[in-house]
């Protein structure tokens, strides 16, 4: 929910004074006033000009309103009445609220809300009066239609309860009437006393004061009479609507019965699936005796159907002790309501020798509404990593998993490792750099902030020749270290600190830190930094993402450079959106390759052949000659089917949170709030997220207390240190960074996780 003009009245911020002022003073109505009675041929109760609030950009706009037959409709102009109605609200179910001298609100409970402004206080009062009368008539007509309709059977208990309620209301009205009589009696006595005081010879000032008090006493008595009349009207309305309430109550009871029947059917189906799971056996192809291995409980856990690799068993699942640490139902959660029964997955045991199947879908994203502005308005100018957010803003992946997504197009580095020419190699490294942004084009949700000490591994050594490890090495500021190595001849490492600022209309995300890529055969060592990511239309409009800035990729061995420019999107530019340009130069600055493409689609490379210019110097080659040398370096893979319902995840992203056996107990796959969110249980995920954050705060306070005590005692105290990464000076960039110290994969092979902290 991003448009402030779409917020319900209880949550919608009041239009700022600047916005009201921008609309300008309401012009005076034409002759005869801005509204008239139904004397015209239209047969309307009232019609005329009012100012209607649209949004924070346009403010109040002049619209022609028509009140007729209990309906309030509006048009852009009087002439538009013949063909196009812009909106209609039924007054029978609407609430009319006066805000100030000229403004009033009409709302029917959130679905429709009109914030209106009249040209004057008198005009506003005329409209409100006409609307109240029209509403009373509409309610009366609705009640009469209810009485003439078919009456549904209502139990005797309901009738008795309703009659008791009406009797209670009647007694309260009688009490109010008694109070009113007492007020009138005492008010008359007060006025008599004041009249006697006026007859006395008192100074002129006293007489004026007495007159004022007398007038106020009269107004008080009139107000109390009006209050009693309103209470009587309320009682009559309650009696009139009693049958309608009875019908609504009966309808809710019928709905509850249907829901109970549906739940009973689901319970039976769940029981059937549970029995099928317990009796399932697996016979992998060409693997004799696999049923015995299955029953012994050894091996990995995967699925038969590669399209349904997420876990739908809502029961608690505990892994055998010989597979490492245990997992409970907090890690593997319930089924998604979007998956039909014939698509439900049976959890099975398979031998570890069997190749792991990758899942190709996750439970569909539920449609939960959230008032974005109510949270984001308190975040302007602040560091978002320090502000707790509900999971409604998230996607079911952690920042460590998003960092691992940089390896989606690892084939580019594989090809670069085979290049003999360092300049050609640099072209592929540049394409790999751009490709890491292709997954962000539709991904407007934020990943989970990792807990301190959280890790994520991705072992694709058999399938793709690489394996990757990430660890959250700092919490404030948040920083993650990443190390990936490939048997195809390259190593990628980085430490990224994410800083973000909310500026009201947009959100800026600035990654800090260097990325290193080293090729084993040649020793070429490349470094670069990431550009700024901007999320636009935070308040009004559809969210969209842009990348802007420059990247300098440097080969520290040869001195070759590549400068990439991410062109920011502009409404007034004729350039293609998300454009990226680049030049690959040697140490002398001579351009050898030109790069052109977009960060969300593809990158092309053109070999630059210098030609002799008119003055005898070098010039760039002609356009058609450059076209002949075009080479497509990279093209984005298509998104999976129904990706819009799965957070726009790529094929790699869909597999990142799939459960795997033998991972460290700090792995992101085991994070319970993330797992609950993936399975659509967002309320439980929010509660679990708060628990984890509180646990992390307590751990931090404990470390701070220990450090303070050590300082007071004069004893040495070791601050928090990452488990798998070591902080030291980088030999190339001379920056302090976290570099992989080794040991993770050895511990995984031994299933020795005794050094891992308890963070979940």
């Amino acid at each position: 929910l991003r448009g402030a003009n779409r917020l319900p009245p209880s949550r919608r911020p009041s239009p700022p004074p600047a916005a009201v002022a921008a609309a300008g003073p309401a012009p005076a109505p034409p002759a005869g006033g801005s509204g008239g009675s139904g004397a015209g041929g239209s047969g309307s109760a009232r019609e005329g000009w009012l100012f209607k609030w649209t949004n924070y950009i346009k403010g109040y706009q002049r619209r022609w309103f028509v009140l007729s037959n209990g309906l309030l409709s509006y048009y852009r102009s009087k002439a538009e009445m013949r063909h196009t109605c812009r909106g209609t609200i039924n007054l029978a179910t609407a609430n009319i609220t006066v805000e100030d001298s000229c403004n009033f609100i009409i709302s029917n409970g959130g679905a429709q809300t009109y914030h209106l402004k009249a040209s004057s206080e008198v005009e506003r009062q005329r409209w409100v009066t006409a609307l109240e009368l029209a509403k009373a008539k509409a309610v009366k007509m609705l009640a009469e239609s209810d009485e003439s309709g078919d009456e549904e059977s209502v139990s005797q208990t309901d009738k008795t309860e309703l009659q008791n309620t009406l009797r209670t209301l009647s007694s309260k009205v009688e009490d109010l009437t008694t109070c009113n009589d007492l007020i009138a009696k005492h008010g008359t006595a007060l006025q008599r006393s004041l009249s006697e005081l006026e007859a006395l010879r008192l100074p002129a000032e006293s007489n004026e004061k007495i007159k004022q008090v007398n007038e106020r006493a009269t107004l008080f008595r009139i107000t109390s009479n009006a209050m009693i009349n309103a209470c009587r009207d309320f009682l009559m309305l309650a009696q009139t609507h009693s049958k309608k309430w009875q019908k609504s109550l009966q309808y809710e009871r019928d709905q509850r019965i249907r829901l109970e029947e549906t739940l009973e059917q689901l319970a039976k189906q769940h029981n059937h699936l549970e029995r099928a799971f317990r009796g399932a056996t697996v016979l992998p192809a060409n693997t004799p005796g696999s049923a015995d291995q299955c029953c012994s409980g050894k091996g990995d856990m995967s699925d038969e159907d590669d399209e349904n690799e997420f876990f739908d068993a809502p029961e608690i699942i505990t892994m055998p002790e010989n597979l490492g640490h245990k997992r409970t139902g907090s890690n593997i959660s319930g089924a998604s309501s979007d998956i039909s029964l014939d698509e439900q997955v049976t959890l099975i045991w398979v031998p570890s020798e069997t190749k792991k199947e990758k899942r190709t879908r996750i439970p569909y994203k539920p449609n939960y509404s959230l008032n974005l502005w109510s949270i984001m308005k308190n975040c302007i100018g602040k560091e978002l990593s320090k502000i707790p957010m509900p999971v409604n803003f998230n996607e079911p992946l952690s920042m460590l998993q998003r960092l691992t997504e940089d390896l989606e197009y690892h084939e580019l580095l594989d090809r670069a490792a085979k290049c003999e020419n360092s300049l050609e190699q640099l072209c592929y490294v540049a394409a790999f750099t751009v490709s890491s942004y292709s997954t962000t084009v539709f991904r407007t949700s934020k990943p989970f902030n990792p807990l301190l000490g959280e890790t994520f591994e991705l072992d694709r050594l058999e399938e793709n020749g690489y394996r990757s490890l990430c660890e959250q090495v700092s919490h404030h500021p948040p920083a993650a270290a990443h190390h990936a190595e490939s048997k195809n001849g390259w190593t990628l490492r980085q430490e990224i600190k994410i800083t973000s600022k909310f500026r009201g209309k947009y959100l800026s995300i600035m990654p800090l830190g260097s990325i290193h890529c080293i090729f084993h055969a040649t020793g070429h060592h490349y470094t670069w930094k990431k550009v700024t990511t901007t999320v636009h239309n935070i308040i009004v409009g559809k969210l969209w993402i842009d990348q802007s800035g420059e990247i300098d990729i440097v080969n520290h061995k040869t001195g070759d450079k590549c400068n990439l420019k991410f062109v920011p999107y502009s409404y007034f530019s004729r350039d293609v959106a998300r454009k990226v340009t680049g030049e690959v130069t040697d140490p002398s600055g001579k351009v050898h390759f030109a790069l052109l493409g977009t960060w969300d689609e593809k990158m092309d490379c053109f070999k630059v052949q210098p030609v002799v210019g008119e003055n005898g110097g070098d010039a760039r080659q002609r356009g058609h000659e450059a076209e002949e040398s075009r080479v497509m370096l990279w093209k984005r893979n298509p998104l999976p089917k129904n990706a819009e319902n799965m957070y726009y995840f790529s094929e790699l992203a869909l597999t990142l949170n799939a459960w795997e056996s033998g991972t460290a107990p700090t792995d992101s796959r085991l994070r319970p709030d993330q797992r609950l969110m993936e399975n659509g249980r967002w309320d439980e995920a929010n509660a679990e997220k708060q628990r984890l954050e509180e646990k992390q705060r307590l751990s931090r306070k404990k470390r701070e207390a220990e450090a303070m005590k050590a300082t007071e005692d004069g004893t040495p105290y070791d601050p928090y240190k990452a488990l798998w990464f070591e902080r030291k000076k980088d030999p190339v960039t001379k920056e302090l960074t976290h570099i992989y110290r080794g040991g993770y994969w050895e511990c995984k092979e031994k299933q020795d996780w005794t050094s891992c902290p308890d963070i979940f």
Side-chain angles (χ1 to χ4, degrees), residues 443-471:
R443 303 269 288 277
T444 54
S445 300
K446 67 182 287 291
F448 279 79
N449 292 331
L451 303 173
L452 185 62
E454 186 175 333
T455 61
F456 178 73
E457 67 156 77
L458 186 65
D459 189 354
R460 296 288 172 86
L461 205 58
E462 294 181 5
E463 303 97 317
N464 306 118
Y466 73 89
R467 58 187 181 184
S468 163
L469 175 67
C470 292
E471 181 181 1

Side-chain angles (χ1 to χ4, degrees), residues 416-432:
K418 298 176 182 177
C419 290
E420 297 180 358
N421 186 306
S422 63
L423 294 169
E424 292 180 3
Q425 187 180 70
L426 184 50
C427 291
Y428 283 108
V429 174
F432 173 79

Side-chain angles (χ1 to χ4, degrees), residues 28 65-66 100 148 151 201 227 269 317 337 352 372 414 642 687:
F65 279 81
V66 176
D100 53 32
S148 61
E151 296 185 4
R201 294 181 179 179
M227 179 186 68
Q269 292 163 356
I317 302 175
S337 60
S352 58
L372 174 65
D414 294 342
N642 299 319

Side-chain angles (χ1 to χ4, degrees), residues 128-141:
V128 170
T129 303
L131 290 168
E132 292 286 2
L133 289 173
K135 177 182 176 180
K137 290 180 181 178
V139 169
K140 185 178 180 182
M141 291 174 62

